[in-house]
Amino acid sequence: MDYKEAEMVVTCSHMRAVHIFTDSINAKYPMMAYPCYSWQDFMKGYCLSCFNNRCQQLGYDADLFPAKGIFYLTTMDSPPFQSSYYLIAVKILQKSKNAYGKIAVALQGSLRDLPLTSITQHNQVIRPGDIITSLTSAAGNLGNIMSVEVVYTKVDGILYSWMYSDHVSISMALIYQGYGTAIEKFCPSPNTSKNGRYKNDGTC
């Protein structure tokens, strides 16, 4: 990287701060940063709580919040930069069989939708009773979560693929909303995702 390229990177980084500050003025919901021990813990969804005023608001009204320490948040790649956090947990039915592959989840909200997002970082063995969790960000608040869609994709072509089930059975999906600290629980019906899609349109 030469001098001009380095200068451009620094300039863009500083200008992003200006844009985010502007977004904080126009945002419908406050841009919150969460206290956490590490970035890894934050991305695992361990820190989505503002209990006892522990969080810090970003931007225009930051001086109104007395919290101190190390805080974490994510922003989107393009305007609007504000992101909303959703901790997604999918519980595998205890009586199901071992499966091998990936699981992705999509959310339908009253304001906007979250497209299919992988909640497994790579292909993995999915065992009965497993709880698969992932923290994901959306461009703005989704509103009330109306339905959940789960996609299981089995990995074929591996040496022992015959040992693994073609489908996974899901007992429930939990959605934890960072801003409202609300939990939505969905129980799919039917509760079997056969290497494809189902959509649950009602909470348990």
Side-chain angles (χ1 to χ4, degrees):
M1 180 182 295
D2 60 25
Y3 174 79
K4 289 185 178 180
E5 291 175 333
E7 184 180 35
M8 181 63 69
V9 170
V10 173
T11 302
C12 289
S13 297
H14 282 77
M15 287 306 299
R16 174 63 62 86
V18 174
H19 296 319
I20 292 174
F21 182 85
T22 303
D23 266 12
S24 74
I25 299 173
N26 301 321
K28 184 176 181 180
Y29 300 93
M31 300 178 69
M32 303 303 296
Y34 298 83
C36 203
Y37 289 112
S38 68
W39 174 252
Q40 289 75 18
D41 282 354
F42 176 71
M43 292 307 296
K44 290 177 182 178
Y46 295 163
C47 307
L48 291 183
S49 173
C50 291
F51 178 75
N52 201 23
N53 296 321
R54 296 169 60 242
C55 292
Q56 177 65 47
Q57 184 167 328
L58 184 73
Y60 186 76
D61 291 323
D63 59 329
L64 302 180
F65 288 75
K68 297 181 179 179
I70 299 175
F71 300 84
Y72 296 92
L73 79 160
T74 63
T75 59
M76 306 309 292
D77 293 333
S78 59
F81 294 104
Q82 182 182 20
S83 61
S84 295
Y85 302 105
Y86 294 87
L87 177 60
I88 302 172
V90 173
K91 185 175 182 179
I92 307 302
L93 194 68
Q94 192 67 45
K95 295 181 180 180
S96 61
K97 299 179 180 180
N98 284 351
Y100 186 79
K102 295 181 179 180
I103 290 182
V105 172
L107 305 179
Q108 180 186 11
S110 58
L111 298 179
R112 56 176 57 87
D113 299 338
L114 177 72
L116 273 175
T117 303
S118 177
I119 63 171
T120 51
Q121 295 183 352
H122 46 71
N123 295 323
Q124 66 182 60
V125 177
I126 301 167
R127 299 179 175 86
D130 277 357
I131 300 178
I132 302 171
T133 63
S134 177
L135 179 66
T136 188
S137 300
N141 195 291
L142 303 182
N144 296 325
I145 305 301
M146 310 300 292
S147 65
V148 177
E149 184 179 15
V150 177
V151 174
Y152 162 66
T153 304
K154 179 183 178 182
V155 175
D156 290 315
I158 60 174
L159 184 60
Y160 299 107
S161 61
W162 57 270
M163 296 175 55
Y164 298 105
S165 175
D166 291 331
H167 65 274
V168 294
S169 297
I170 298 167
S171 62
M172 71 175 63
L174 297 174
I175 313 299
Y176 182 97
Q177 296 176 271
Y179 284 118
T181 62
I183 292 180
E184 301 283 352
K185 182 168 70 171
F186 293 84
C187 292
S189 179
N191 66 356
T192 300
S193 179
K194 294 183 177 179
N195 201 23
R197 304 185 180 196
Y198 71 79
K199 181 173 288 189
N200 170 39
D201 292 310
T203 56
C204 302

